[in-house]
Amino acid sequence: MLRGLRNAFETIESDESAQVVLICSSVPKVFCAGADLKERKTMTPSEVQNFVNSLRSTFSFIEALRVPTVAVIEGVALGGGLEMALSCDLRICGEDAVLGLPETGLAIIPGAGGTQRLPRLVGKSRAKELIFTGRKIGGREAMPMGLANYTVPAGEAHSKALDIAREIIQKGPIAIRMAKKAINEGLEIDLPSALELEEECYEQILNTKDRLEGLKAFAEKRKPSYRGE
């Protein structure tokens, strides 16, 4: 399943027509429940390490996708399931969502990005509490702490995610890619270097046909038609 997931994202990354990715589950009340602990029990330490490394690599690949990614969370998102959602740009939760990183209860730590991405979203102290206690939180609690962008009635997360995706695809695709790059990479460096990165990203937009189309559409009081050029 992990290999299939990675292959799917590699296909999306090479598809110039892709503009937004929604990650959702076809299983009712489960976004992703994390590792199969019965399988994990049969694995050697080396096999466990290789699997977790592969998981971490896949989630980093998701985070680095050129296009925006949205985790559509209905039901359970635990352990690696929540870590996958953390690697997305946005998270939309149903009210009945259950999110958590319970690894310390199994005498391990979140190993696929959880210890790094969670504090970047909710702050160091809140992340420590959630990881140290393994406490599960509901969808309603996720939004005020910054873990979810929106919390909606159960069963409506996919619809809300589609609404957001429709808003995004009306914007200039190159601008969206450059904005994502500037934000993601800029947060990992000092401010002066990040401002230089922003300048570099802006320069890549200056000579695009889309930028001229945006100005023309504004002057003509119509919706722009962007082509990613």
Side-chain angles (χ1 to χ4, degrees):
M1 182 176 179
L2 181 58
R3 282 194 297 270
L5 189 67
R6 177 67 179 247
N7 290 340
F9 286 116
E10 287 175 351
T11 299
I12 291 167
E13 180 71 355
S14 63
D15 184 353
E16 291 296 327
S17 69
Q19 291 180 275
V20 183
V21 179
L22 305 187
I23 302 177
C24 50
S25 171
S26 60
V27 179
K29 298 184 178 180
V30 179
F31 172 72
C32 181
D36 181 344
L37 297 181
K38 291 180 180 177
E39 178 191 50
R40 184 66 60 85
K41 189 178 178 181
T42 68
M43 298 168 74
T44 67
S46 177
E47 288 172 332
V48 172
Q49 184 172 17
N50 288 337
F51 178 81
V52 173
N53 288 347
S54 180
L55 205 60
R56 187 186 307 111
S57 172
T58 297
F59 295 166
S60 292
F61 189 87
I62 294 172
E63 185 175 48
L65 281 173
R66 295 176 301 110
V67 297
T69 52
V70 184
V72 183
I73 306 171
E74 295 279 9
V76 173
L78 297 174
L82 179 55
E83 289 179 301
M84 177 164 62
L86 293 173
S87 71
C88 293
D89 297 308
L90 308 175
R91 283 152 296 283
I92 314 298
C93 285
E95 286 181 335
D96 66 348
V98 178
L99 305 94
L101 295 173
E103 285 87 349
T104 53
L106 296 167
I108 57 174
I109 67 170
T115 65
Q116 302 307 307
R117 294 191 177 100
L118 185 62
R120 281 166 166 79
L121 276 178
V122 305
K124 182 168 68 172
S125 182
R126 184 64 62 84
K128 284 179 177 179
E129 178 216 336
L130 293 175
I131 291 173
F132 291 172
T133 65
R135 182 167 71 87
K136 299 178 181 67
I137 64 169
R140 290 183 181 181
E141 190 179 353
M143 191 171 80
M145 72 168 59
L147 189 51
N149 296 83
Y150 293 94
T151 298
V152 296
E156 296 183 15
H158 189 256
S159 176
K160 179 64 176 178
L162 282 175
D163 288 343
I164 293 171
R166 291 187 184 105
E167 287 187 54
I168 292 172
I169 64 174
Q170 292 177 34
K171 309 302 186 289
I174 300 174
I176 294 293
R177 292 201 297 270
M178 289 299 103
K180 176 171 178 173
K181 177 182 174 67
I183 294 168
N184 279 4
E185 297 182 15
L187 282 172
E188 304 303 321
I189 54 181
D190 62 84
L191 183 58
S193 298
L195 292 172
E196 288 181 12
L197 171 65
E198 182 183 68
E199 181 182 355
E200 291 168 9
C201 290
Y202 200 99
E203 285 175 356
Q204 294 191 49
I205 299 164
L206 280 175
N207 294 316
T208 63
K209 294 179 181 178
D210 281 351
R211 187 181 75 85
L212 299 178
E213 165 62 13
L215 293 172
K216 185 178 180 183
F218 180 81
E220 296 174 358
K221 298 181 179 180
R222 60 172 175 81
K223 284 188 175 183
S225 177
Y226 296 125
R227 300 179 180 276
E229 301 174 349

